[in-house]
Amino acid sequence: YYRFTGEDILLYMPFIKESVKFFDEHYQLRQKMRNGKPLDENGKLVFYPSTSCETFRGATNPIDLLAGLNACLNSLISLDGQYVTTEEKAYYKEYLARIPDYPMGKDEGITYFKPADKWLKVMNVELPQFYPLFPFDQFMFGDAEIEYFKNTYKLAPDHLKGNIKSWHQDGIQLARMGMTKEAAEYNTKKLQDSPRRYPTFWGPGHDWVPDHNWGGSGMIGLQEMLMQTLGDKIILFPAWPKEWDVDFKLHAPKNTIVEAVLKEGKVVQLKVTPEERE
């Protein structure tokens, strides 16, 4: 909200700070209860017991939690003094240093992201391995790690990927990986009319009718194909088929509006408001 609008967020800061602090204090306590020391042998927090999304149960150091904490802590450190004091920033930097690295694996020499360091059982159909990409923006289009995410998608079990139902967000992640053909095919299916009287009454997927998550994740997937906003950057057409003509108007951070027209693979019109954000 703050990144896009610049509006005052002072009212929300106590809740944000206490939420972040919970994970530090609670899991230090849990680890100390287990072996008498609050951190592991490398001076890192141990997030156990936890889950990676709702799928990987009894997880240690789930990747979605690590990505979320990295996103929150770095964002807090970037805020100015009216929101975060110098002392608080020092604490958040120390806290960041205690966050474990993202869990990685190798399969026949192929490096990929794991949902957690380890887990006890699988009970749902989610792909938390991609949460560092979206929604937590820890990697961006063009980063070397994108290749690891592509490996992760390739190696994921078939029953965990490709599902267009409900909240499944493969279309967003495919766009974030720059996989244009796959993103176009997936999001086209995602945004097809429902078989009901009202074309946006999707479902039932895993939940109910109308399933707003079905359309919402499809809309985000389509927008991520058109434009990605990571950090201070605005990237146009990172995963957009050249043969798809489009005329769009979208919002970006810092109260920015981007309007563009693409015809036959060429940008024929571009307007960015305010101009200094172009």
Side-chain angles (χ1 to χ4, degrees):
Y1 175 63
Y2 180 76
R3 189 164 72 97
F4 273 76
T5 68
E7 295 290 336
D8 181 31
I9 55 170
L10 198 60
L11 180 66
Y12 310 119
M13 293 310 296
F15 176 74
I16 293 169
K17 292 174 182 179
E18 290 300 315
S19 297
V20 167
K21 189 167 71 172
F22 164 80
F23 287 93
D24 189 23
E25 295 185 349
H26 176 77
Y27 283 103
Q28 285 198 51
L29 176 64
R30 294 301 292 257
Q31 182 69 354
K32 196 170 183 179
M33 289 167 63
R34 283 189 290 269
N35 64 11
K37 297 180 180 180
L39 304 172
D40 70 8
E41 64 275 10
N42 298 313
K44 302 289 186 177
L45 288 156
V46 180
F47 296 106
Y48 175 83
S50 190
T51 68
S52 197
C53 285
E54 293 180 49
T55 299
F56 299 88
R57 310 291 179 95
T60 301
N61 296 336
I63 194 169
D64 52 341
L65 173 56
L66 303 182
L69 285 172
N70 276 309
C72 288
L73 291 169
N74 280 303
S75 295
L76 284 164
I77 290 168
S78 72
L79 292 173
D80 61 36
Q82 67 171 319
Y83 297 118
V84 181
T85 67
T86 302
E87 292 77 14
E88 286 172 330
K89 288 190 179 186
Y91 163 65
Y92 296 139
K93 289 176 182 177
E94 292 171 358
Y95 187 170
L96 262 178
R98 292 194 290 274
I99 304 295
D101 294 334
Y102 293 123
M104 307 294 292
K106 277 201 172 183
D107 186 348
E108 297 183 356
I110 298 174
T111 303
Y112 62 95
F113 288 92
K114 294 167 57 180
D117 281 335
K118 54 186 177 181
W119 55 93
L120 299 177
K121 57 185 176 180
V122 177
M123 290 185 63
N124 210 329
V125 285
E126 295 155 315
L127 288 169
Q129 300 95 306
F130 293 93
Y131 276 49
L133 265 186
F134 177 90
F136 293 123
D137 292 349
Q138 295 304 288
F139 300 95
M140 65 180 294
F141 189 79
D143 286 347
E145 289 84 357
I146 295 299
E147 202 60 36
Y148 299 154
F149 284 110
K150 290 180 180 179
N151 295 341
T152 304
Y153 197 75
K154 181 180 179 181
L155 294 172
D158 288 339
H159 73 281
L160 293 183
K161 63 184 179 181
N163 195 328
I164 68 165
K165 293 178 180 178
S166 302
W167 34 257
H168 286 280
Q169 57 188 46
D170 298 42
I172 303 169
Q173 310 296 7
L174 290 166
R176 283 289 179 100
M177 290 185 280
M179 298 172 65
T180 302
K181 180 176 180 290
E182 295 84 352
E185 290 176 354
Y186 183 94
N187 287 308
T188 297
K189 292 177 183 177
K190 189 84 166 178
L191 290 170
Q192 285 175 342
D193 288 352
S194 81
R196 294 178 180 78
R197 177 179 180 182
Y198 299 105
T200 58
F201 274 30
W202 290 284
H206 301 296
D207 303 303
W208 52 76
V209 177
D211 187 340
H212 58 280
N213 299 303
W214 192 315
S217 57
M219 290 167 66
I220 295 170
L222 187 68
Q223 176 161 330
E224 292 295 320
M225 290 171 63
L226 272 173
M227 183 178 81
Q228 294 177 18
T229 59
L230 300 167
D232 200 33
K233 293 185 177 181
I234 301 171
I235 303 170
L236 295 185
F237 311 111
W240 191 261
K242 290 184 177 180
E243 65 274 16
W244 285 11
D245 292 350
V246 62
D247 181 343
F248 75 85
K249 177 181 181 180
L250 293 171
H251 291 271
K254 295 188 175 181
N255 280 308
T256 304
I257 296 173
V258 179
E259 301 172 71
V261 177
L262 185 79
K263 286 188 178 180
E264 298 178 356
K266 295 182 179 180
V267 179
V268 297
Q269 184 178 322
L270 176 65
K271 179 183 178 183
V272 181
T273 310
E275 289 183 3
E276 60 264 23
R277 290 284 285 146
E278 188 171 347

